[in-house]
Amino acid sequence: MSQFFQVHPVNPQARLIKQAAQIIHGGGIVAVPTDSCYALVCHLDDKSAVERLRRIRGIDEKHHLTLLCRDLSELGVYARVDNRQFRLLKAATPGPFTFILEATKVVPRRLSHPSRKTIGLRVPEDAIVNALLAELDQPLLGSTLIMPNETEPLNDADTICERLGKQLELIIDGGACSMEPTTVIDLTGPEAELVRQGRGDASAFGL
């Protein structure tokens, strides 16, 4: 059965964040609120945890997972970003956007799209997630918490506990968050392409 932490959404308790980071380092999968909706996250270097996360979500290796980064400089370690892309990213981060970009060699091949060698990246604007990222000192690998054959994300920690309590190591209750997932924008082509409309306003990209 998973652990259940009630974490303050503005001033996360350092003790609980440290425990959550230890769970992630130990191979755990964690449900965490973000600036869009709840996400499942795990250690990016833990192959077993990544495979479990994909099974829970019901997705294969062609579905982009997302690296949650602290800032654009960290994002730039994991993705190839030119000047045009950087200007677009700077205008929309931090915030509820996921960007599809070409992965660098730092990203394990098993995490990027098998044919396109791309990956999703985002810089969230959320105190709990950012406290976790600071404690881990590296990005988290995550995916929107939408269950197989469903279209709406899970948005309530108690519901997540009822449905996934036996499959997760930790559920972080930071209060209700948005029912909308991130807006997904593909920046790999000559023009930005809207992949999924979510909470983020895509007009900044001319979309």
Side-chain angles (χ1 to χ4, degrees):
M1 197 68 183
S2 62
Q3 296 190 63
F4 192 94
F5 292 174
Q6 289 186 312
V7 178
H8 195 282
V10 178
N11 298 300
Q13 302 94 313
R15 173 180 58 84
L16 294 179
I17 292 298
K18 186 178 289 289
Q19 288 181 40
Q22 290 171 348
I23 289 170
I24 290 168
H25 270 301
I29 298 175
V30 177
V32 61
T34 75
D35 53 346
S36 56
C37 57
Y38 270 83
L40 295 179
V41 298
C42 68
H43 200 289
L44 68 91
D45 293 323
D46 192 315
K47 183 179 179 181
S48 176
V50 175
E51 290 174 349
R52 284 176 55 218
L53 189 153
R54 287 189 185 277
R55 284 199 300 272
I56 293 169
R57 284 278 282 105
I59 55 178
D60 62 20
E61 70 277 3
K62 294 180 181 179
H63 183 101
H64 281 103
L65 295 174
T66 299
L67 285 179
L68 287 75
C69 301
R70 284 172 285 187
D71 51 36
L72 285 182
S73 62
E74 186 170 71
L75 183 151
V77 173
Y78 296 89
R80 300 185 190 282
V81 179
D82 62 24
N83 290 336
R84 175 189 69 90
Q85 293 165 331
F86 183 82
R87 286 194 298 271
L88 292 171
L89 291 167
K90 190 174 181 180
T93 56
F97 292 91
T98 297
F99 302 100
I100 307 300
L101 291 160
E102 182 185 353
T104 65
K105 292 182 179 179
V106 175
V107 178
R109 178 167 288 187
R110 58 186 167 76
L111 299 183
S112 60
H113 190 282
S115 59
R116 299 181 61 201
K117 303 298 182 286
T118 51
I119 192 165
L121 297 105
R122 67 173 299 220
V123 180
E125 188 175 29
D126 179 271
I128 294 175
V129 172
N130 279 296
L132 258 180
L133 293 173
E135 181 65 32
L136 288 162
D137 196 29
Q138 69 178 117
L140 280 164
L141 189 69
S143 181
T144 303
L145 212 178
I146 300 175
M147 296 300 290
N149 303 314
E150 297 183 15
T151 57
E152 296 291 330
L154 297 182
N155 192 47
D156 176 76
D158 290 328
T159 303
I160 295 169
C161 188
E162 289 172 10
R163 297 190 60 181
L164 291 173
K166 294 181 179 179
Q167 299 181 67
L168 307 178
E169 279 65 44
L170 172 63
I171 296 164
I172 294 179
D173 181 3
C177 50
S178 171
M179 281 294 290
E180 292 183 280
T182 57
T183 293
V184 180
I185 296 177
D186 190 331
L187 293 179
T188 58
E191 301 292 336
E193 179 184 345
L194 182 64
V195 178
R196 178 181 72 191
Q197 179 61 60
R199 187 170 179 229
D201 182 1
S203 64
F205 301 87
L207 301 170

